[in-house]
């Protein structure tokens, strides 16, 4: 072959190589643009409220199959694998339930699973609720797993690691967040620990002159205060009234303990016969504190009992104006006058309600259409 021919051949090969290089670069650029568009373009096909459940042992292909079942059509599996590798999510998809909102991109979906941004639910223990009410509320909570339904209170406390402890008052009222797969036992364990911490803090901060002999007695007293008022600033005053009654040997005479002693037989009205019927919780017939708490007290009630307000009041009764507030009295005569005023307001309110009902037009009693 002549040198001229070889030179031409070399130029042709070089030209071909450059063309191939340019084509490869163009293909790579096109592929990268396609990949970027896939990664950051909102997916189509998701139904509103779609949730993805990643279970223990799920690989990326399994998760991809679940995404397809939810309507996600974007991207080839290789693109999802590349994106997962880029984000460091390939082997780090966290177990849990994920909300897939409309407009999410594949990148956002994988980041959510990588970072464990799972759906969180809330369960609230309300201050003043008793154990029976708490267990009923837990039984209604979804998607909480119900693992305590077949346990009585004694078995429940043993399962929670506190055998022999009465459950009443032992679970702190607040909002607890959980994820799908958690159970009512998980909530109760956390609430029990929270109450123990709150009780320990209140006990360590107690007035040195308190008559309460133990954290358990503080918990009992706080449960009574919680049931007596929903007004935060009144709790130290009511705690002071009960502390003074204990100091002079006067019975607590508080209706919520009587109601608790009646249990499921209480029909919403407390009667005079209930006040004289003896039960372990009737503080009209028995001295001192009842044997256990009567409800779940909140932190403010615990703090109020730890530091009750000074004063000389021994009595209190509702104002009766709908505010939930109370009138505090030093003597029985003052208290009786406050009770009489409450009864007048109560009767006036009931009379007004009856009058309003009589004046309201009847519903559905007009002439029928022909």
């Amino acid at each position: 072959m002549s040198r001229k021919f070889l030179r031409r051949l070399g130029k042709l090969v070089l030209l071909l190589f450059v063309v191939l290089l340019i084509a490869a670069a163009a293909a790579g650029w096109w592929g990268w643009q396609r990949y970027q568009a896939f990664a950051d373009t909102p997916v189509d096909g998701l139904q509103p409220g779609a949730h993805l459940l990643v279970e223990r042992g799920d690989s990326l292909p399994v998760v991809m199959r679940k995404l397809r079942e939810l309507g996600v059509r974007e991207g080839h599996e290789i693109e999802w694998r590349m994106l997962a590798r880029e984000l460091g999510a390939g082997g780090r998809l966290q177990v849990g339930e994920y909300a897939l909102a409309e407009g999410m991109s594949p990148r956002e979906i994988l980041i959510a699973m990588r970072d464990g941004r799972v759906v969180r639910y809330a369960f609230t223990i309300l201050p003043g609720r008793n154990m029976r009410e708490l267990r009923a509320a837990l039984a209604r909570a979804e998607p909480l797993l119900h693992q305590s339904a077949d346990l009585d209170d004694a078995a429940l406390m043993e399962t929670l690691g506190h055998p022999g402890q009465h459950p009443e008052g032992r679970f702190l009222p607040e909002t607890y967040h959980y994820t799908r797969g958690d159970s009512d036992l998980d909530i109760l364990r956390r609430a029990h620990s929270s109450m123990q911490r709150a009780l320990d803090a209140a006990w360590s901060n107690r007035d040195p002159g308190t008559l309460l002999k133990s954290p358990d007695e503080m918990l009992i007293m706080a449960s009574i205060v919680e049931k007596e008022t929903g007004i935060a600033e009144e709790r130290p005053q009511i705690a002071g009234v009960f502390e003074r009654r204990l100091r002079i040997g006067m019975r607590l005479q508080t209706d919520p303990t009587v109601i608790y002693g009646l249990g499921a037989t209480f029909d919403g009205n407390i009667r005079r016969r209930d006040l004289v019927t003896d039960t372990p919780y009737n503080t009209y017939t028995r001295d001192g504190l009842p044997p256990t708490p009567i409800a779940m007290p909140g932190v403010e009630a615990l703090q109020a009992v730890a530091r009750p307000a000074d004063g000389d009041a021994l009595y209190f009764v509702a104002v009766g104006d709908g505010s939930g507030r109370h009138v505090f009295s030093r003597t029985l005569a003052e208290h009786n006058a406050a009770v009489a005023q409450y009864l007048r307001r109560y009767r006036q309110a009931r009379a007004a309600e009856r009058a309003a009902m009589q004046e309201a037009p009847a519903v559905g009693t007009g002439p029928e259409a022909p």
Side-chain angles (χ1 to χ4, degrees), residues 234 237-238 240-242 244-245 248 250 310-319 325-342:
E234 284 193 348
Q237 292 177 272
I238 290 177
V241 168
F242 289 139
R244 285 186 287 277
R245 287 187 178 185
I248 65 175
M250 180 180 175
D310 293 330
D312 54 8
L314 289 172
Y315 306 90
F316 59 92
V317 68
V319 174
R325 296 184 176 276
H326 294 80
V327 176
F328 292 83
S329 303
R330 181 178 60 87
T331 67
L332 182 58
E334 293 173 353
H335 177 63
N336 287 338
V339 170
Q341 180 67 18
Y342 163 76

Side-chain angles (χ1 to χ4, degrees), residues 27-39:
W29 179 84
W30 177 84
W32 178 251
Q33 290 296 108
R34 174 187 169 87
Y35 168 74
Q36 289 294 102
F38 150 75

Side-chain angles (χ1 to χ4, degrees), residues 95-340:
V95 171
E97 180 184 14
Y98 297 89
L100 302 182
E102 292 183 271
M104 289 184 76
S105 67
R107 186 187 302 277
E108 291 170 329
I109 292 173
L110 286 173
I111 288 175
M113 290 188 285
R114 181 197 68 187
D115 296 347
R117 299 176 187 173
V118 296
V119 177
R120 290 165 61 82
Y121 298 90
F123 179 81
T124 300
I125 300 177
L126 297 174
R129 296 299 187 265
N130 61 36
M131 191 62 190
R132 184 178 67 255
E133 293 166 330
L134 171 56
R135 297 197 66 170
L138 282 169
R140 295 190 298 268
E142 297 293 346
L144 200 63
L145 297 179
H146 303 131
Q147 298 180 339
S148 68
D150 296 330
L151 303 175
D152 62 19
D153 283 351
L156 173 64
M157 295 307 290
E158 184 173 0
T159 302
L160 294 176
H162 306 282
Q165 187 180 72
H166 196 283
E168 196 63 80
R170 294 290 175 178
F171 304 96
L172 187 69
E174 61 179 35
T175 296
Y176 297 89
H177 291 94
Y178 67 93
T179 59
R180 186 178 292 274
D182 289 343
S183 76
D184 49 4
L185 295 177
D186 297 320
I187 298 290
L188 290 173
R189 286 190 183 96
R190 291 162 55 194
H192 190 282
S193 296
S194 295
M195 176 58 84
Q196 192 59 56
R197 288 193 297 270
L199 180 57
D200 289 344
W203 181 251
S204 65
N205 190 46
R206 69 189 183 280
D207 188 319
T210 183
L211 295 179
L212 301 176
K213 301 179 181 64
S214 67
D216 283 356
E217 288 194 355
M218 175 174 283
L219 187 63
I220 293 170
M221 181 69 86
S223 73
I224 298 172
V225 171
E226 185 69 71
K227 291 298 290 185
E228 283 285 8
T229 184
I231 308 299
E233 59 267 27
E234 284 193 348
R235 293 190 183 109
Q237 292 177 272
I238 290 177
V241 168
F242 289 139
E243 179 87 17
R244 285 186 287 277
R245 287 187 178 185
L246 289 177
R247 192 173 298 281
I248 65 175
M250 180 180 175
R251 288 176 177 169
L252 295 183
Q253 297 181 326
T254 170
D255 292 356
T257 62
V258 176
I259 293 169
Y260 187 83
L262 294 174
T265 65
F266 179 63
D267 62 3
N269 292 313
I270 189 167
R271 300 170 175 84
R272 185 172 298 276
R273 67 172 181 268
D274 298 324
L275 302 181
V276 298
T277 300
D278 185 53
T279 75
Y281 291 89
N282 191 334
T283 52
Y284 285 84
T285 61
R286 300 201 180 195
D287 297 334
L289 294 166
T292 72
I294 62 171
M296 312 295 169
V299 171
E300 289 182 340
L302 290 167
Q303 293 172 343
V305 170
R307 293 283 175 174
D310 293 330
D312 54 8
L314 289 172
Y315 306 90
F316 59 92
V317 68
V319 174
D321 61 355
S323 67
R325 296 184 176 276
H326 294 80
V327 176
F328 292 83
S329 303
R330 181 178 60 87
T331 67
L332 182 58
E334 293 173 353
H335 177 63
N336 287 338
V339 170

Side-chain angles (χ1 to χ4, degrees), residues 82-105:
M82 289 174 58
L83 181 58
R85 188 177 299 113
E86 176 193 337
L87 298 173
R92 294 178 52 194
L93 301 182
Q94 297 196 39
V95 171
E97 180 184 14
Y98 297 89
L100 302 182
E102 292 183 271
M104 289 184 76
S105 67

